[in-house]
């Protein structure tokens, strides 16, 4: 399957408007945002676990990146409540489940094989730092090479300076309203701005976003090849 697989193209999706598609495991559904490949694929999805649903133990040759949006996600290494940011490195394995049900942002097969740091951060208690302009706060989550992942909190009326993204930018709006010259993006919006894109974002009412930069257009698969 190829879904928004051309990383040179801008994509804007209202994730709440997408239909849920079944996964191979009963009780686990997904809203696909981008995908290249069959069941084992480079993919970005919103994934929903029904209460008491689980996946069999499996490997992630190209790693797995998760932000828990609702509920509690679990595996054989622990429980991860809403607000947890989780990275399972390339080559890792686990048997995930959810007792109460949960909703996740999940990115698969998108880690460099040399990025071997497992990351678990409770974003509800982690520190925030001043951003580059007044009204902006940043919570760093991960950095490797040119890739940077963070939560960014915008106070009402915050305006950022015009800037470019040589390595692209990916955003999930968690709350509030994110805005730029090309539109307004309420909570649940997923944006992928390609490498070389530029904009001047702002937020009139304020917002919180998950943002990843520097990872496009090159995405490395489990064998280190470019996808």
């Amino acid at each position: 399957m190829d879904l928004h697989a051309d990383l040179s193209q801008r994509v804007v999706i209202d994730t709440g408007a997408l239909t849920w598609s079944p996964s191979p495991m009963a009780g686990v559904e997904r809203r696909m945002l981008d995908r290249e490949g069959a069941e084992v694929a480079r993919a970005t999805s919103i994934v929903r676990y029904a209460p008491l649903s689980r996946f069999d133990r499996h490997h992630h040759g190209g790693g797995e990146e998760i932000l828990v949006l609702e509920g509690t996600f679990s595996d054989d290494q622990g429980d991860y409540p809403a607000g947890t940011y989780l990275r399972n490195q390339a080559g890792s394995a686990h048997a995930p489940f959810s007792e109460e049900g949960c909703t996740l942002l999940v990115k698969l097969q998108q880690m460099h094989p040399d990025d071997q740091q497992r990351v678990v951060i409770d974003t509800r208690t982690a520190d925030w730092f001043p951003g580059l302009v007044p009204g902006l706060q940043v919570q760093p989550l991960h950095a490797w090479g040119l890739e940077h992942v963070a939560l960014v909190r915008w106070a009402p009326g915050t305006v950022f300076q015009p800037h470019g993204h040589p390595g692209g930018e990916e955003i999930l709006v968690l709350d509030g309203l994110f805005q730029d010259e090309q539109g307004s993006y309420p909570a649940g919006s997923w944006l992928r701005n390609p490498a070389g894109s530029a904009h001047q974002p702002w937020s009139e009412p304020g917002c919180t976003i998950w943002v990843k930069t520097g990872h496009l257009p090159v995405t490395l698969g489990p064998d280190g090849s470019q996808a």
Side-chain angles (χ1 to χ4, degrees):
M1 171 188 285
D2 281 358
L3 175 66
H4 303 133
D6 184 350
L7 301 181
S8 69
Q9 297 300 306
R10 183 174 190 265
V11 182
V12 178
I13 296 175
D14 175 2
T15 65
L18 298 178
T19 58
W20 292 101
S21 301
S23 79
M25 301 303 292
V28 182
E29 301 173 299
R30 55 208 174 182
R31 287 170 164 163
M32 300 181 185
L33 306 180
D34 68 21
R35 191 174 189 91
E36 184 175 12
E39 189 51 45
V40 177
R42 179 188 64 75
T44 303
S45 308
I46 303 295
V47 178
R48 181 172 67 181
Y49 280 67
L52 302 179
S53 58
R54 62 184 58 243
F55 251 93
D56 294 335
R57 186 171 182 82
H58 57 278
H59 287 79
H60 291 291
E64 177 184 49
E65 181 178 12
I66 292 171
L67 180 65
V68 183
L69 303 174
E70 298 175 347
T72 299
F73 176 70
S74 303
D75 66 12
D76 30 329
Q77 298 189 68
D79 299 318
Y80 316 102
T84 303
Y85 176 72
L86 175 65
R87 290 177 71 94
N88 293 315
Q89 67 273 25
S92 61
H94 67 163
F97 62 95
S98 182
E99 294 288 344
E100 67 178 71
C102 63
T103 305
L104 319 168
L105 169 68
V106 179
K107 296 180 70 64
L108 298 173
Q109 306 283 61
Q110 299 181 46
M111 291 183 190
H112 193 286
D114 293 338
D115 183 4
Q116 284 292 301
Q117 179 186 3
R118 185 172 188 266
V119 177
V120 181
I121 297 174
D122 184 347
T123 68
R124 300 169 303 173
T125 58
D127 292 333
W128 292 87
F129 300 92
L132 294 176
V133 299
L136 211 64
Q137 291 183 301
V138 178
Q139 186 180 109
L141 300 177
H142 185 68
W144 195 90
L146 298 177
E147 176 184 313
H148 289 80
V149 188
L151 296 185
V152 181
R153 192 158 58 192
W154 300 63
T158 301
V159 179
F160 203 75
Q161 63 260 35
H163 64 283
H165 292 287
E169 177 186 51
E170 187 176 339
I171 290 171
L172 180 66
V173 183
L174 302 177
D175 62 47
L177 184 70
F178 181 71
Q179 298 162 281
D180 67 11
E181 307 94 320
Q182 300 188 68
S184 296
Y185 317 101
S189 299
W190 179 76
L191 296 79
R192 192 183 71 202
N193 294 316
S197 60
H199 65 163
Q200 182 178 14
W202 71 88
S203 180
E204 293 177 5
C207 65
T208 306
I209 62 174
W210 172 92
V211 59
K212 184 172 186 173
T213 61
H215 62 301
L216 303 172
V218 176
T219 299
L220 296 174
D223 59 355
S225 63
Q226 295 183 7

